[in-house]
Structures are given as structure tokens and as C-alpha cells.
Amino acid sequence: MRVLGPRHIRVDGAALLDVAPGKGTFVVDTARGTIEVLGTKFLVDGQADRTTAAVVRGEVKLASSGGEVVLHAGEQGVAEAGRSPTRGPAPRLSHLVSWAQQARHAEEHDLQPIHHGSLFARDPGVRSHPPWGEEYPLPIKELKLDIVVENQVARVALDQTFHNDAAQDLEGVYRFAIPPDAALQRLAMYVDGKLEESAVVERMQARADLRGARLPARRSGAARVGR
């Protein structure tokens, strides 16, 4: 696959493409045809003698020197030299795109898991907790999600309950990664049944506040923002 320009690529071989809508026409050139899409998920197989397009979601236009056809979800089109493009039901569409999912899983096989929304405990005695080291995740007892979507904006409330089964107080670090275009509105925690609100501050100020909170042995919560 080669990028020819903004929203314009060349495919020689097979590719599974998922095109985001609302950004104009996306054009795929192959040896035997051109595919135009607005927003869809489809499989394209561009060989030297034919181009095959199978639509998973949305619709695409398959065009060649012999004409053009519009393909809808569940349909497959074939463009060959000297013939008009043909359209018909896509046979075993899930099987056609399964190779892409298998390839993605193979690439992700060796990736290390990233723990989002985890409360990591730090033992004051700085003892090692294999395989985690000095910090280790506390077990989660309950998870609740409340999601509201309005005007293309999603507001997500995440309620997690963690359990400290150690016979002592532990220092904790809560880690949760958010996308660059998201914003943290509120962070609060219940400790021994008491609600404690946090403050959103810059990273260095949060560290200074945390060091100060350790001295009188009181609890504190800070949402650190650093991008």
C-alpha cells in the first residue's frame, strides 16, 4: 500500500480498510480499478488481473475503464480488464476479512498489557511483590459505568471499588490514561466510608502536595495532568 495524497492510496494486494466518515471522499487506486468511499469498512484485493472489493459497512463505488458499480454492505464487486465491473453477494464475508484480524492478533501477541484504571499500592516497607516490584495492583471488587452521549460528546462516569487485604495502610497511585482530546472533570474517592474530593493540578504541584500529605500521615487525592 502506498499513500498518493490526502485520502488517496494505492493498493497492490489485499487490505482491510476502515474509513472515517465526514472527511470527504477517500480514493483507492488498484491495477484494474478505482474505489471511492465516503465512510465505510471494506476489503480490497488489488491483483494484476483483477480488483475485488467487499463491503463490510457502508457503501463504495468501484470504477474501471469498463464502467462502475455501487456496492452496499454485504456485497462484492469485481473489476477485470476489458469487462464491466460486476456486483453480487459477498460469499462468506466474515471469512474474507478474518485474515486481517488474525494478522492484527499476531502483531499484538507480544505486547505487554497496559493497566488503565488501576490502583497501585506501594508498600511503606518497600518490599518486592513479584512480578510487580515495589508497586502492585490492588484487586478490584466492583466496577460500574455510566455513559451519556449528547451532541457527539460522551460523558463517562467510572466507579471502581478496590480492596486492601493487607493488615496495614498502604500508599496508592491510581493510574488511568485518557485520550488527548478528552478532559478529566472530577476525581473523588471514598476512604473508610468518607468521601474525599481531589483537585486537578499540574504534575509537579501534585508531587509537592503528595509529599506534604505524607508528613502528617493524612490521606490525599490528586489528579495529575501532564501532556
Side-chain angles (χ1 to χ4, degrees), residues 163-186:
H163 176 64
N164 174 21
D165 55 4
Q168 60 179 335
D169 289 341
L170 299 175
E171 180 181 303
V173 178
Y174 181 72
R175 296 193 179 103
F176 187 86
I178 61 176
D181 57 348
L184 178 64
Q185 187 177 40
R186 179 175 180 246

Side-chain angles (χ1 to χ4, degrees), residues 68-142:
E68 63 183 43
V69 292
V70 176
L71 308 174
H72 302 276
E75 293 183 331
Q76 174 180 286
V78 178
E80 297 178 288
R83 299 178 57 185
S84 299
T86 60
R87 182 186 68 184
R92 301 181 63 192
L93 185 57
S94 60
H95 175 72
L96 290 177
V97 302
S98 63
W99 64 268
Q101 297 174 344
Q102 293 173 1
R104 183 186 64 190
H105 291 162
E107 292 179 355
E108 297 176 349
H109 178 72
D110 296 330
L111 295 179
Q112 296 297 322
I114 300 176
H115 296 271
H116 296 319
S118 296
L119 180 59
F120 283 78
R122 181 178 298 148
D123 194 329
V126 196
R127 294 180 297 176
S128 178
H129 294 267
W132 302 100
E134 297 178 2
E135 295 182 352
Y136 60 97
L138 290 178
I140 184 170
K141 295 183 62 179
E142 189 175 8

Side-chain angles (χ1 to χ4, degrees), residues 144-147 155-159:
K144 296 180 180 178
L145 278 175
D146 185 13
I147 304 174
R155 297 183 181 274
V156 182
L158 178 66
D159 189 345

Side-chain angles (χ1 to χ4, degrees), residues 40-42 53-60 70-76 87-90 93:
T40 183
K41 183 176 182 180
F42 66 102
V55 183
V56 178
R57 183 185 67 246
E59 65 179 35
V60 306
V70 176
L71 308 174
H72 302 276
E75 293 183 331
Q76 174 180 286
R87 182 186 68 184
L93 185 57

